[in-house]
């Protein structure tokens, strides 16, 4: 399994970099155009929970794992001490993610907000 990791400032202006890496890897895996667009929507939705609309003081570490039939993307936020972020998806976000991803979670582990997203190629 190949892995690619990036670290970005916890700002929405850098989420496009995450989408770009995700779409590039999905293209390499022969995802359809629609599946690539779905993946970008899912990445955007989950990263937005961590960055907020104005950004936060800290960084996001994003890890992309290339699977035989898809891709797994995990994200972990490292914020300034004492800063917390909501890790509960709204019903609307949950509906979006259920539509565009095979699985998607947002939670807290070891005090850090994290997400996990899995998307497989259609027909797999």
């Amino acid at each position: 399994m190949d892995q690619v990791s990036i670290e970005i400032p916890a700002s929405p202006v850098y989420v496009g970099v995450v989408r770009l890496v995700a779409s590039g890897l999905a293209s390499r895996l022969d995802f359809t155009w629609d599946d690539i667009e779905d993946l970008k929507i899912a990445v955007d939705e989950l990263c937005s929970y961590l960055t907020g609309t104005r950004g936060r003081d800290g960084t996001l570490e994003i890890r992309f794992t290339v699977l035989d039939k898809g891709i797994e993307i995990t994200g972990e936020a490292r914020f300034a001490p004492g800063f917390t972020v909501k890790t509960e998806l709204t019903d609307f976000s949950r509906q979006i993610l259920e539509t565009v991803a095979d699985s998607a979670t947002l939670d807290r582990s070891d005090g850090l907000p994290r997400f996990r997203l899995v998307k497989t190629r259609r027909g797999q």
Side-chain angles (χ1 to χ4, degrees), residues 18-19 21-23 25 39-40 42-43 46-47 61-67 71-75 103 105 115-119:
V18 181
R19 285 193 311 265
V21 173
S23 64
L25 291 170
L39 181 63
K40 291 187 325 187
V43 164
L46 289 165
C47 284
E61 182 181 336
I62 312 295
R63 178 172 289 128
F64 306 83
T65 303
V66 176
L67 309 171
I71 189 168
E72 176 187 57
I73 303 171
T74 57
S103 69
T105 59
F115 70 79
R116 179 179 179 268
L117 163 67
V118 175
K119 179 78 175 165

Side-chain angles (χ1 to χ4, degrees), residues 25-38:
L25 291 170
S27 177
R28 179 178 165 260
L29 294 168
D30 294 325
F31 275 46
T32 66
W33 178 260
D34 288 338
D35 283 340
I36 291 171
E37 290 303 308
D38 286 350

Side-chain angles (χ1 to χ4, degrees), residues 14-112:
Y14 294 102
V15 173
V17 174
V18 181
R19 285 193 311 265
L20 181 63
V21 173
S23 64
L25 291 170
S27 177
R28 179 178 165 260
L29 294 168
D30 294 325
F31 275 46
T32 66
W33 178 260
D34 288 338
D35 283 340
I36 291 171
E37 290 303 308
D38 286 350
L39 181 63
K40 291 187 325 187
I41 290 167
V43 164
D44 213 33
E45 190 71 23
L46 289 165
C47 284
S48 292
Y49 269 89
L50 300 183
T51 65
T53 57
R54 295 186 177 149
R56 307 195 194 279
D57 185 16
T59 61
L60 301 184
E61 182 181 336
I62 312 295
R63 178 172 289 128
F64 306 83
T65 303
V66 176
L67 309 171
D68 288 337
K69 299 176 183 179
I71 189 168
E72 176 187 57
I73 303 171
T74 57
E76 180 177 276
R78 292 192 174 91
F79 297 129
F83 187 83
T84 59
V85 65
K86 181 179 168 185
T87 56
E88 196 172 301
L89 293 169
T90 65
D91 288 339
F92 184 64
S93 289
R94 192 173 289 108
Q95 278 185 310
I96 290 171
L97 291 167
E98 286 174 359
T99 302
V100 298
D102 294 302
S103 69
T105 59
L106 176 69
D107 59 22
R108 187 175 310 281
S109 179
D110 299 328
L112 300 174

